[in-house]
């Protein structure tokens, strides 16, 4: 296939480009940064996904689109709202409109676990429940676990499947869900084939660093590089699923090839959890990364961020069953590699300088 890859110079996008090429597909890139792929597949100029003319030019002759371009991270404050809406929502709308004009009918969208909000919980009395956002007074008092909204008792966390209720709880999550809705509308209107890959906590080489929009693994790594202990919020017991970027890239290839055989969800969008299926705590990850660096050990601060969720762990069965996807990089091995990558100078081919506004 001839694939237009948006966000081709980014952390995940650059790995997707490599995986697609290795699988025999032709890749044309679109990114704000000059190290994005040109339509010929080589290094080239820059382009913005919000620029309809530039998108139209790169879509000519394409068979499919892999949409990674986005402004990522939780956000710093409400002043970020216009940028998130512009890049993630308006940019996706421009891309979909140009795909319809060009007759390109296959889309893989980079989505995120953040669309779920809090994960799945069960109350011993009331069964499955969906807790409200954790109040700041509870977080300040060190009460981190969400309570049953009916009786106030502690809840047992579980795993989320793709049919779970969606409940975005920050600006980034709002825009990722908006992208899914737009893609679903595009698929219904055009008869296109669309898949949304809901990435869980992605880490690995080329991950952005030294930015307030970086993921927790990158933030911990930056502190370790400076000889400082990772600062773990809350009590470190937050559960997540850490999935290596090369596994995520492979999932994109599998999804594109699956869609080429026909839409799994005719007239709509099919969502897939892209995760390892082996949950870890934030504390586990901090200790693994610190161990790979040789210290210093993590320090649990008890701090918190409003908008963070306590537990979000995926059930990746659908991706395994329908895409043939299973994570291959083991957690300890992946964290050790991630630590080694920090020794490479920023801006080289292995760890290029990144801006957070163009790639998931």
């Amino acid at each position: 296939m001839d694939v237009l890859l948006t966000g081709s110079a980014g952390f995940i996008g650059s790995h997707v480009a490599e995986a697609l090429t290795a699988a025999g597909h032709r890749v044309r890139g679109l990114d704000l940064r000059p190290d994005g792929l040109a339509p010929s597949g080589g290094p080239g100029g820059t382009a913005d996904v919000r620029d309809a003319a530039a998108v139209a030019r790169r879509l000519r002759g394409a068979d499919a689109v892999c949409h990674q371009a986005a402004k990522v991270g939780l956000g710093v404050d409400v002043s970020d709202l216009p940028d998130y809406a512009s890049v993630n929502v308006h940019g996706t709308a421009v891309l979909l409109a140009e795909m319809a004009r060009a007759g390109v009918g296959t889309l893989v969208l980079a989505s995120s676990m953040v669309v779920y909000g809090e994960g799945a919980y069960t109350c011993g009395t009331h069964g499955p429940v969906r807790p409200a956002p954790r109040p700041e007074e509870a977080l300040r008092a060190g009460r981190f676990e969400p309570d049953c909204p009916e009786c106030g008792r502690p809840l047992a966390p579980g795993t989320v499947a793709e049919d779970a209720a969606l409940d975005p709880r920050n600006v980034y999550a709002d825009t990722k869900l908006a992208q899914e809705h737009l893609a679903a509308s595009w698929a219904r209107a055009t008869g296109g084939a669309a898949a949304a890959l809901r990435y869980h906590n992605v880490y690995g080489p080329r991950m952005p660093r030294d930015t307030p929009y970086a993921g927790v693994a990158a933030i911990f790594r930056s502190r370790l590089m400076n000889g400082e202990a990772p600062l773990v919020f809350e009590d470190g017991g937050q559960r997540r699923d850490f999935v290596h970027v090369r596994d995520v890239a492979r999932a994109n290839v599998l999804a594109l090839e699956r869609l080429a055989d026909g839409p799994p969800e005719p007239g709509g969008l099919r969502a897939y959890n892209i995760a390892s299926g082996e949950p870890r705590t934030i504390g586990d990850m901090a200790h693994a990364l610190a161990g790979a660096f040789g210290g210093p050990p993590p320090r649990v601060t008890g701090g918190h961020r409003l908008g963070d969720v306590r537990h979000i762990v995926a059930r990746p069965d659908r991706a395994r069953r329908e895409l043939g996807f299973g994570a291959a990089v083991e957690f300890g091995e992946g964290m050790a590699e991630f630590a080694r990558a920090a020794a490479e100078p920023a801006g080289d081919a292995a760890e290029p300088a990144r801006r957070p506004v163009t790639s998931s």
Side-chain angles (χ1 to χ4, degrees):
M1 285 187 288
D2 196 319
V3 181
L4 172 61
L5 173 62
T6 72
S8 53
F11 164 45
I12 296 176
S14 63
H15 285 276
V16 174
E18 292 171 356
L20 284 167
T21 301
H25 302 292
R26 296 177 300 281
V27 182
R28 51 178 78 187
L30 188 153
D31 201 293
L32 280 175
R33 287 156 294 196
D35 49 348
L37 296 169
S40 64
T46 65
D48 192 323
V49 73
R50 294 165 291 186
D51 182 340
V55 172
R57 285 194 297 272
R58 281 164 167 75
L59 278 169
R60 291 182 193 133
D63 302 307
V65 171
C66 187
H67 184 31
Q68 307 293 318
K71 181 177 175 72
V72 302
L74 181 63
V76 175
D77 54 42
V78 293
S79 66
D80 280 328
L81 283 166
D83 273 350
Y84 275 97
S86 176
V87 176
N88 297 0
V89 182
H90 179 63
T92 299
V94 169
L95 174 66
L96 293 169
E98 294 306 321
M99 287 177 66
R101 291 188 181 95
V104 178
T106 301
L107 171 71
V108 171
L109 169 69
S111 187
S112 172
M113 66 177 190
V114 296
V115 300
Y116 296 117
E118 283 284 355
Y121 292 87
T122 302
C123 172
T125 302
H126 296 97
V129 296
R130 194 156 195 85
R134 297 175 297 166
E136 186 168 12
E137 57 270 23
L139 295 171
R140 282 201 305 264
R143 299 195 307 273
F144 302 124
E145 295 291 342
D147 297 324
C148 175
E150 301 292 332
C151 65
R153 292 176 180 154
L155 298 172
T159 57
V160 288
E162 290 84 355
D163 57 359
L166 304 182
D167 186 19
R169 296 189 175 187
N170 57 60
V171 60
Y172 174 60
D174 293 334
T175 61
K176 296 310 284 186
L177 183 54
Q179 286 182 321
E180 288 198 16
H181 287 324
L182 288 169
S185 295
W186 166 85
R188 285 191 297 271
T190 65
L197 305 187
R198 292 174 179 164
Y199 303 157
H200 285 249
N201 285 70
V202 186
Y203 73 97
R206 307 176 204 156
M207 194 172 190
R209 65 190 188 211
D210 301 325
T211 162
Y213 302 92
V216 64
I219 293 169
F220 288 171
R221 185 183 66 174
S222 290
R223 288 190 62 85
L224 287 161
M225 289 170 62
N226 293 328
E228 300 171 328
L231 300 180
V232 180
F233 279 9
E234 302 186 16
D235 59 1
Q238 311 93 303
R239 295 169 72 241
R240 298 289 189 271
D241 188 306
F242 295 94
V243 59
H244 196 278
V245 66
R246 285 196 299 275
D247 284 327
V248 170
R250 185 163 49 84
N252 276 270
V253 176
L254 291 169
L256 280 165
E257 292 175 344
R258 171 66 181 84
L259 292 182
D261 294 333
E265 188 86 0
L269 174 142
R270 188 72 161 167
Y272 296 95
N273 284 326
I274 303 303
S276 73
E278 297 181 358
R280 308 277 178 165
T281 67
I282 298 292
D284 290 338
M285 188 270 288
H287 280 284
L289 198 52
F293 265 91
R299 181 159 60 88
V300 176
T301 69
H304 65 274
R305 291 192 309 176
L306 285 178
D308 277 350
V309 299
R310 179 63 177 173
H311 304 297
I312 177 69
V313 175
R315 191 180 307 160
D317 301 347
R318 180 184 289 177
R320 184 180 300 111
R321 184 174 62 251
E322 297 184 9
L323 304 181
F325 171 77
V329 180
E330 187 271 330
F331 177 76
E333 170 196 342
M335 284 294 164
E337 180 198 22
F338 185 47
R340 289 194 302 271
E344 297 160 353
D348 68 6
E351 191 80 21
R354 304 292 178 201
R355 287 186 294 172
V357 297
T358 56
S359 178
S360 293

